Amino acid sequence: MASISEWYAGKNVLITGATGFMGKVLMEKLLRSCPDVKALYILVRPKAGQSMSERVQDMMMCKLFDRVREDNPDFHQKIIPISSELTQPGLAISPEDVQTLTSCINIVFHCAATIRFDEPLKHALQLNVIATQQLLSLAQQMQHLQAFIHISTAYANCNRRHIDEVIYPPPVEPKKLIDSLEWMDDSIICDITPRLIGDRPNTYTYTKALAECVVQQESGKLNIAIIRPSIVGASWQEPFPGWIDNFNGPSGIFIAAGKGILRTMRASNDAVADLIPVDVVINLTLAAGCCSHVHFYFRPKTALVYNCTTGGINPFHWGEIEHHVMSTFKRNPLEQAFRRPNANITSNYLINQYWILVSHKFPALIYDLFLRLSGQKPQMMRIFNRLHKAIGLLAYFSSQDWEWNSDNMNMLMSQLSADDRRTFNFDVRQLNWPEYIENYCIGTKKYVLNEDMSDIPAARQHLRKLRNIRYTFNTVLLVFIWRVFIARSQMARNIWYFVVSLCFKFLSYFRASSTLTQ
Ligand SMILES: CCCCC/C=C\C/C=C\CCCCCCCC(=O)SCCNC(=O)CCNC(=O)[C@H](O)C(C)(C)COP(=O)(O)OP(=O)(O)OC[C@H]1O[C@@H](n2cnc3c(N)ncnc32)[C@H](O)[C@@H]1OP(=O)(O)O
Ligand SMILES: NC(=O)C1=CN([C@@H]2O[C@H](COP(=O)(O)OP(=O)(O)OC[C@H]3O[C@@H](n4cnc5c(N)ncnc54)[C@H](OP(=O)(O)O)[C@@H]3O)[C@@H](O)[C@H]2O)C=CC1
């Protein structure tokens, strides 16, 4: 059997979502580890005032591609951008481009999606379901297509506790929903969304479940694999440890904790934190692409589903993550922290609300007051409101456990040669969590916040300043309380003297007992 790299040699690959977090890592790995791949056709739209070509040029300058650039400075010649807006009919691909794609593509990786948890249902349906349907019908016309790989999520069926590597019946027949939503007013859709999504937490997981069903329905004679990653985090090993470029999932939470903004969050200490490094997901995806074709003649009738998770193989818990995140940011502080990093997770609603009031809202109010008094625009309350919205949406995933079967992932690994297992490593048993979390946090500092590691001494100095401010603030508060209560009330004074004399008694007792033992 050919190696994975040999299998991709001479192939034309189509990638959707190539400008996204996973799409970029997929492109980088293909270019680096499968250097004989013929071309990567990527569907890209213009965005935020940048044309398609400007976006692609910017992307290729990204640090992520440093190793590829070193190996092959002309790697950009292999990247062929195709203008496409996935929410438009026919994916807004020109007839000439359709002609090119249908005549040359050998493998499709469908990564594009909206991953926002608060996406209005109609838009999530348009992108995650209808665009998938349209891409599949384009794929049906591709004359040399060998495999179609759809990226789903392990949480597509998060309404179940145990999730096998099968496509479950959809919550609703996708075609019926598409037809109904087509004529409905946005406000009506908004009203019925909670009823429709039922026991799923958001439109994202709901539409990803529908997309899996569409993939199954429209698969026809295609070779299909569905990859279901859990919470995709920074890279573990490749192209270098700690690569991350966004605030999604836990990254934004880690940053908020590192900046000393986040002090409390609802999560269960003992729940498994099913993080999966992005390079692991991409290695599995590339291996699955190759193997879904190799097993063409023996393949099952339906798409092969790969749950790509860590919890059942090498579990790590949110409580442990909290510990390692805090420890890393104390040793490698972020610049200009709001307070010293000290975040705690709790599964108790009331305790969390108490700390939100004391550790989030109260300091935000004081800081905004200070900003107002110094003639600046208040901003802290606004930041906290956004943070509360985000943690409110994420808490569902950090407060409970799921159990994913990963037989297909294990089976795929056992089919690879020793060389492929090394080059396309997705064996998460080897993952050392404390080291991974440390690199992850440092990655958020370096690549998301663009902070320089050489500034760490200044950041430490800033934390010392914050500590001194806190001591001063606490002293002032104590004196204030003493003035208001102790000095004015006889009862408070009696309690105060009682506490002080108790302290003295304890002190003299300890001093006496330590003298005796000498
Ligand atoms: C220390 C203790 C740690 C313990 C950890 C405990 C728990 C971990 C928590 C969660 C883990 C669970 C994750 C579950 C993932 C499920 C897996 C998946 O399948 S899907 C992929 C995950 N999807 C997401 O994560 C998307 C979630 N995000 C959203 O839905 C939205 O972004 C939002 C949270 C609703 C916020 O929307 P809003 O409109 O308010 O903001 P924007 O997204 O438009 O962002 C605006 C702007 O701000 C930047 N930004 C975003 N977050 C932050 C942040 N935390 N700090 C600073 N800045 C932030 C963002 O980049 C935008 O910038 P710009 O305008 O320049 O692009
Ligand atoms: N990140 C995670 O934790 C997880 C992700 N997944 C899945 O992995 C896949 C990739 O996720 P990730 O890379 O993190 O997501 P990103 O949000 O980083 O990337 C999304 C990609 O989709 C593209 N896209 C979005 N809307 C359109 C549109 N209308 N037309 C054309 N392209 C569009 C984006 O392009 P543009 O740059 O133009 O916006 C971008 O390239 C998704 O299918 C997601 O469901 C699964 C589990 C976890």
Side-chain angles (χ1 to χ4, degrees):
M1 180 183 143
S3 70
I4 296 180
S5 159
E6 282 165 355
W7 189 79
Y8 282 99
K11 299 249 154 74
N12 287 309
V13 177
L14 176 67
I15 303 174
T16 71
T19 49
F21 174 47
M22 301 214 332
K24 283 199 287 255
V25 178
L26 174 66
M27 279 172 63
E28 193 278 339
K29 178 69 181 175
L30 258 174
L31 291 163
R32 182 164 48 85
S33 297
C34 308
D36 294 326
V37 66
K38 192 165 177 194
L40 308 187
Y41 289 78
I42 58 174
L43 299 191
V44 185
R45 55 178 174 168
K47 193 178 170 187
Q50 274 194 307
S51 70
M52 175 190 75
S53 336
E54 284 166 345
R55 291 191 72 197
V56 175
Q57 261 170 12
D58 272 7
M59 179 171 76
M60 286 187 293
M61 311 234 288
C62 172
K63 185 177 167 50
L64 177 72
F65 292 96
D66 279 0
R67 280 181 69 183
V68 176
R69 204 174 297 112
E70 243 168 60
D71 296 347
N72 173 15
D74 294 329
F75 79 95
H76 54 90
Q77 287 173 356
K78 290 204 172 183
I79 298 174
I80 305 176
I82 302 278
S83 176
S84 169
E85 167 53 69
L86 296 180
T87 53
Q88 294 301 310
L91 309 174
I93 305 178
S94 74
E96 299 77 48
D97 286 339
V98 168
Q99 173 65 32
T100 312
L101 297 178
T102 50
S103 62
C104 79
I105 294 299
N106 304 112
I107 175 155
V108 176
F109 291 104
H110 179 35
C111 302
T114 167
I115 63 167
R116 293 184 67 94
F117 292 153
D118 61 346
E119 196 71 78
L121 181 58
K122 198 164 185 171
H123 189 252
L125 191 78
Q126 189 74 48
L127 190 52
N128 294 351
V129 186
I130 302 176
T132 303
Q133 210 171 37
Q134 296 203 58
L135 188 69
L136 280 158
S137 62
L138 179 66
Q140 301 283 7
Q141 301 167 46
M142 293 177 179
Q143 293 139 27
H144 306 288
L145 190 71
Q146 293 176 319
F148 183 105
I149 313 299
H150 171 75
I151 310 293
S152 182
T153 161
Y155 296 99
N157 301 290
C158 58
N159 54 332
R160 296 170 182 266
R161 290 295 116 209
H162 179 91
I163 298 155
D164 280 318
E165 290 169 306
V166 297
I167 300 173
Y168 289 101
V172 59
E173 176 53 44
K175 283 195 180 73
K176 282 190 186 154
L177 186 69
I178 294 167
D179 291 345
S180 324
L181 295 199
E182 202 173 16
W183 60 264
M184 272 190 215
D185 194 53
D186 285 352
S187 65
I188 303 178
I189 300 176
C190 186
D191 288 346
I192 61 168
T193 297
R195 295 284 300 275
L196 283 169
I197 65 174
D199 50 5
R200 282 186 178 73
N202 50 45
T203 54
Y204 169 66
T205 50
Y206 179 73
T207 51
K208 289 298 269 188
L210 295 181
E212 285 193 359
C213 170
V214 159
V215 169
Q216 189 178 36
Q217 288 173 346
E218 313 274 324
S219 58
K221 288 199 176 112
L222 300 177
N223 263 323
I224 298 213
I226 294 180
I227 314 292
R228 285 188 188 148
S230 45
I231 303 171
V232 183
S235 60
W236 168 29
Q237 295 168 317
E238 294 182 88
F240 43 82
W243 166 258
I244 179 82
D245 67 356
N246 60 70
F247 289 100
N248 293 329
S251 312
I253 301 292
F254 292 174
I255 291 171
K259 287 275 182 191
I261 297 174
L262 179 91
R263 320 292 288 184
T264 182
M265 174 171 176
R266 261 192 95 186
S268 163
N269 275 294
D270 306 325
V272 171
D274 213 301
L275 291 188
I276 184 103
V278 62
D279 45 340
V280 169
V281 182
I282 294 309
N283 288 342
L284 172 78
T285 303
L286 289 170
C290 161
C291 291
S292 60
H293 172 254
V294 172
H295 296 115
F296 182 69
Y297 299 105
F298 318 103
R299 78 186 171 99
K301 287 267 181 293
T302 55
L304 260 178
V305 179
Y306 297 90
N307 285 343
C308 183
T309 59
T310 50
I313 306 164
N314 181 0
F316 204 58
H317 304 88
W318 288 114
E320 295 169 282
I321 298 236
E322 177 212 274
H323 171 77
H324 291 288
V325 169
M326 288 302 101
S327 143
T328 305
F329 282 131
K330 279 178 184 154
R331 282 176 286 118
N332 307 277
L334 299 180
E335 287 170 21
Q336 291 304 315
F338 176 59
R339 292 177 71 189
R340 286 170 65 77
N342 184 16
N344 287 293
I345 57 177
T346 170
S347 47
N348 187 301
Y349 174 80
L350 285 177
I351 293 180
N352 186 47
Q353 288 304 312
Y354 169 78
W355 285 116
I356 282 185
L357 197 71
V358 173
S359 295
H360 287 182
K361 296 198 168 161
F362 182 58
L365 263 174
I366 296 197
Y367 190 71
D368 277 353
L369 187 71
F370 164 76
L371 288 178
R372 262 182 223 279
L373 292 177
S374 55
Q376 298 170 66
K377 213 173 138 209
Q379 52 163 350
M380 223 47 218
M381 214 44 177
R382 199 170 43 85
I383 292 177
F384 272 108
N385 286 340
R386 275 182 49 195
L387 179 68
H388 291 153
K389 179 182 168 193
I391 55 180
L393 292 168
L394 295 174
Y396 174 90
F397 300 93
S398 52
S399 306
Q400 39 190 328
D401 283 304
W402 286 266
E403 211 181 83
W404 286 277
N405 179 335
S406 47
D407 288 350
N408 286 346
M409 181 161 141
N410 295 333
M411 188 184 69
L412 183 60
M413 199 175 339
S414 69
Q415 286 169 351
L416 301 185
S417 68
D419 268 357
D420 276 346
R421 270 205 291 267
R422 247 191 318 276
T423 315
F424 297 88
N425 183 13
F426 52 89
D427 184 358
V428 291
R429 283 171 305 188
Q430 303 162 7
L431 184 68
N432 175 331
W433 283 107
E435 187 183 285
Y436 173 69
I437 295 297
E438 172 156 345
N439 287 331
Y440 191 158
C441 292
I442 293 176
T444 60
K445 177 176 172 67
K446 292 205 293 202
Y447 312 119
V448 182
L449 301 174
N450 289 317
E451 293 185 8
D452 209 319
M453 292 301 277
S454 63
D455 291 339
I456 285 186
R460 288 202 187 116
Q461 176 63 29
H462 178 73
L463 288 194
R464 278 194 287 275
K465 196 175 98 188
L466 289 176
R467 187 196 51 197
N468 294 342
I469 293 176
R470 196 176 121 227
Y471 286 161
T472 314
F473 180 82
N474 286 352
T475 313
V476 171
L477 195 69
L478 207 73
V479 170
F480 176 78
I481 291 173
W482 196 88
R483 287 289 299 159
V484 170
F485 296 104
I486 314 283
R488 290 187 187 181
S489 135
Q490 183 58 47
M491 192 158 116
R493 252 197 311 273
N494 291 344
I495 295 174
W496 172 249
Y497 291 139
F498 175 71
V499 171
V500 172
S501 64
L502 213 62
C503 290
F504 269 114
K505 273 185 195 148
F506 265 115
L507 265 179
S508 16
Y509 169 76
F510 280 124
R511 208 183 298 148
S513 58
S514 64
T515 326
L516 276 178
T517 50
Q518 272 169 12

